[in-house]
Amino acid sequence: MKHLKSRMDESILVCVYYGLNGERLIRRGHKLATLLDCPLYVLTVDPKPLDAFDAEKSGYIEQWKQLAEELQVEKFILLDNEKRPIQKVINEVARNYDVTQIIVGQSAQSRWEEITKGSFLNVLLKEVPFVDFHIVAIKRPTEDDSYDIYEKGVRAYLIESEEDFKIAFTCPKFAAIEGIFFKEIGTDFDNGIFKFTYANKMHELTITEGIVVNPQKIPVDAKPSSNSKM
């Protein structure tokens, strides 16, 4: 059961696009919503239809949905196949949910980065003049921000050998687990994290020099040896 918010005169909307910074924005919004004891909404928009999303996009969506449920977000809003300008979409959502504050992130790999540029910000302010905006810049990674120390994710595969699971970057001819590999910044080895979706849940594994170090986290039914076809 969700916590009954005491303040309904305030409402926060977090706008996220694909990238590891999305979790930071959602948590920032949750912290603010907790302080104000008001509803929190999360919005992501994509011009492509949902069934055309690649594994990386689908992975982020699933991750954010789980986080939104964990944090008891009022609603996770996914608008796919959306052809309207972003400011029009944000305006509509803000009005529909009586939003008073909007959080957006500044990222070189984010569609939302345009919001930090003066021209677009002016357009957005004119389009949605009834809210306060929070522009969150990406800070330098720290030990507490492990999800910000990785390169852009690439498609990868887990192959089971006699003793362990290894990562590969070309599609094998036999059964394998397909997912996204995020390599640690500043390493020459295949160190990082591997994320994949199975049974409608996001799973994360630690990779060191191309080998899975926590194979116990792989669901038994998801292992290649348990499936003739993935």
Side-chain angles (χ1 to χ4, degrees):
M1 181 177 179
K2 291 187 176 181
H3 169 68
L4 182 62
K5 310 299 188 300
S6 64
R7 292 193 61 178
M8 302 306 292
D9 58 327
E10 292 283 350
S11 182
I12 299 171
L13 176 67
V14 177
C15 300
V16 293
Y17 198 62
Y18 307 104
L20 294 175
N21 199 44
E23 181 176 343
R24 181 199 299 278
L25 294 177
I26 294 173
R27 292 190 181 278
R28 177 70 66 87
H30 175 255
K31 181 178 293 187
L32 182 58
T34 300
L35 290 173
L36 296 176
D37 198 17
C38 71
L40 173 65
Y41 302 91
V42 177
L43 168 68
T44 187
V45 184
D46 199 288
K48 294 183 178 180
L50 185 61
D51 57 9
F53 287 9
D54 59 22
E56 183 178 13
K57 286 186 177 182
S58 298
Y60 280 126
I61 295 297
E62 182 61 30
Q63 178 184 357
W64 293 338
K65 283 183 177 179
Q66 290 184 22
L67 181 61
E69 183 176 347
E70 172 191 330
L71 299 179
Q72 295 188 324
V73 169
E74 207 71 22
K75 187 173 184 179
F76 179 84
I77 306 166
L78 168 62
L79 299 178
D80 66 321
N81 201 26
E82 182 58 71
K83 307 304 181 184
R84 294 176 296 169
I86 294 178
Q87 67 270 20
K88 298 291 185 181
V89 178
I90 294 176
N91 181 18
E92 179 179 88
V93 172
R95 291 184 181 278
N96 288 344
Y97 293 95
D98 297 321
V99 169
T100 59
Q101 301 187 49
I102 293 178
I103 297 177
V104 293
Q106 178 183 7
S107 170
Q109 297 178 358
S110 170
R111 191 180 178 199
W112 300 103
E113 69 176 328
E114 296 181 38
I115 296 177
T116 66
K117 299 178 182 178
S119 59
F120 188 85
L121 181 56
N122 289 337
V123 171
L124 192 58
L125 289 173
K126 291 179 180 179
E127 187 73 32
V128 197
F130 52 89
V131 305
D132 295 325
F133 282 92
H134 301 268
I135 309 297
V136 181
I138 297 178
K139 61 182 180 180
R140 294 178 65 84
T142 66
E143 292 182 358
D144 294 331
D145 298 316
S146 58
Y147 46 82
D148 278 336
I149 64 174
Y150 302 102
E151 299 177 359
K152 180 178 175 60
V154 298
R155 190 182 303 275
Y157 306 86
L158 286 188
I159 302 173
E160 185 176 16
S161 64
E162 294 182 358
E163 300 180 351
D164 48 38
F165 286 86
K166 300 180 179 179
I167 194 166
F169 299 97
T170 56
C171 184
K173 296 182 180 179
F174 44 87
I177 299 176
E178 181 179 349
I180 303 297
F181 176 65
F182 298 93
K183 184 177 180 180
E184 289 182 1
I185 295 175
T187 177
D188 294 328
F189 302 98
D190 288 330
N191 298 332
I193 57 176
F194 178 84
K195 295 188 177 185
F196 68 98
T197 301
Y198 181 76
N200 296 320
K201 292 185 178 180
M202 176 62 62
H203 301 272
E204 180 180 310
L205 304 171
T206 301
I207 308 295
T208 300
E209 296 187 8
I211 305 296
V212 177
V213 300
N214 52 346
Q216 70 276 8
K217 290 190 174 182
I218 302 176
V220 175
D221 292 341
K223 295 181 179 180
S225 58
S226 301
N227 297 272
S228 59
K229 183 178 180 181
M230 296 298 295

